[in-house]
Amino acid sequence: MEQEAKQKEKERNGQPDNNVQTLDTMQALCLPLGASISLLVMFFFFDSMQMLFAICTAIIATIALAFLLLPMCQYIIRPCSDGNKISFGMCGRFTAAELVSFALSVTIVCIWVLTGHWLLMDAMGMGLCVAFIAFVRLPSLKVSTLLLTGLLIYDVFWVFFSSYIFNANVMVKVATRPAENPVGIVAKKLHLGGVVREAPKLSLPGKLVFPSMHNNGHFSMLGLGDIVMPGLLLCFVLRYDAYKKAQICSAETGVPPPNQLNKISYFHCSLIGYFLGNL
């Protein structure tokens, strides 16, 4: 609560926190509803809107992957760059590291579109996870509980009970349905038969996939929501531990007792539960 108050005080003083979106109670309650509407749209209108879905996914994944690659590019380019920004007119000003990370991201996404390889799709999915966790924040345990409870109900309904209403498992159907390759669609309109045959269908990166060890040709899936949503709670717990440690360090002596620094924190317990939950 004190952290939330400090954040609001910063915003009142004209010091916003770099585009970080803090979820409030209403947003936490509406998120499962919005996810359900999106799921139904993809379930009923996927065939007619699949090119739009593929293009939007590629654009968003490009931005997220560039964000994921940026620290690595900054580390590599630092010795040979002065850090000055290069102007691109109305597009803005960017550092050399930002340009390199964006170029790498565009290259990876283009190769994914041409090949449909699952490793590239997983890289894009990891970029989406990192970007979401970096720019969305949970302010309190109450909001965290409301959000995760709502998403639990969302998951249980759409995975186990949707087939009784829609005669199909909506979640599995949407997650496993491949989209037509935009390159193949354009080639078909231009009557380029060879390109149409070679362009693979795309499995949209709303999940991470791994080759099954027991069944060749089959993949195990892990939805990005199963990574991101508990990850938001994990970040909240980590901030809370840092806040409590700062309180201890600001005591009269200025040095926290050794047992306070070495004991298992809320973050460690949550991380173990997060790991076991994703197995």
Side-chain angles (χ1 to χ4, degrees):
M1 293 299 293
E2 288 187 39
Q3 281 185 316
E4 189 175 4
K6 288 179 182 178
Q7 177 63 29
K8 290 180 179 178
E9 184 64 28
K10 281 185 179 181
E11 293 175 355
R12 284 196 292 268
N13 293 335
Q15 300 175 357
D17 191 5
N18 292 334
N19 301 322
V20 173
Q21 174 65 43
T22 301
L23 296 180
D24 57 24
T25 302
M26 184 56 65
Q27 289 170 329
L29 290 173
C30 290
L31 189 59
L33 179 61
S36 298
I37 294 173
S38 301
L39 197 65
L40 284 175
V41 169
M42 293 190 71
F43 179 73
F44 286 112
F45 303 106
F46 187 87
D47 291 335
S48 58
M49 301 177 65
Q50 57 182 313
M51 187 170 183
L52 177 63
F53 290 145
I55 292 174
C56 290
T57 299
I59 293 172
I60 295 171
T62 299
I63 298 171
L65 192 56
F67 176 77
L68 177 65
L69 295 172
L70 181 58
M72 180 190 72
C73 294
Q74 288 173 332
Y75 179 78
I76 294 174
I77 294 177
R78 187 180 302 155
C80 54
S81 174
D82 54 7
N84 292 331
K85 293 190 174 183
I86 304 169
S87 177
F88 284 84
M90 295 179 62
C91 295
R93 297 169 60 84
F94 306 95
T95 63
E98 290 172 340
L99 294 175
V100 172
S101 68
F102 183 73
L104 285 174
S105 176
V106 170
T107 302
I108 291 172
V109 172
C110 288
I111 296 174
W112 168 73
V113 170
L114 294 174
T115 64
H117 199 280
W118 65 271
L119 271 177
L120 300 178
M121 187 183 74
D122 283 359
M124 294 161 60
M126 286 187 284
L128 291 169
C129 289
V130 171
F132 195 93
I133 292 175
F135 290 109
V136 177
R137 178 171 296 174
L138 294 174
S140 65
L141 190 59
K142 181 184 89 170
V143 174
S144 304
T145 303
L146 288 174
L147 176 64
L148 294 177
T149 302
L151 289 172
L152 174 63
I153 297 171
Y154 160 86
D155 261 345
V156 170
F157 174 77
W158 290 113
V159 172
F160 297 105
F161 297 102
S162 60
S163 57
Y164 296 107
I165 300 174
F166 301 98
N167 295 320
N169 190 314
V170 175
M171 182 75 78
V172 174
K173 186 76 172 178
V174 171
T176 58
R177 183 183 293 179
E180 289 289 340
N181 196 310
V183 174
I185 294 176
V186 173
K188 188 182 296 183
K189 291 184 177 180
L190 297 176
H191 305 290
L192 302 175
V195 178
V196 173
R197 286 192 296 270
E198 293 175 3
K201 288 192 174 184
L202 299 176
S203 181
L204 301 183
K207 56 191 176 294
L208 300 183
V209 297
F210 311 93
S212 176
M213 297 178 62
H214 307 289
N215 198 345
N216 292 333
H218 291 265
F219 289 83
S220 301
M221 293 188 302
L222 179 62
L224 298 189
D226 298 328
I227 300 172
V228 169
M229 295 307 165
L232 292 178
L233 177 61
L234 204 62
C235 290
F236 167 74
V237 172
L238 181 61
R239 294 199 312 275
Y240 179 77
D241 283 339
Y243 169 69
K244 296 299 290 184
K245 188 176 292 187
Q247 276 193 327
I248 296 172
C249 291
S250 63
E252 292 182 1
T253 59
V255 179
N259 62 331
Q260 292 292 334
L261 284 177
N262 296 328
K263 71 178 183 179
I264 296 178
S265 65
Y266 290 114
F267 173 75
H268 294 124
C269 297
S270 302
L271 184 61
I272 293 171
Y274 181 56
F275 173 75
L276 294 176
N278 278 325
L279 287 179

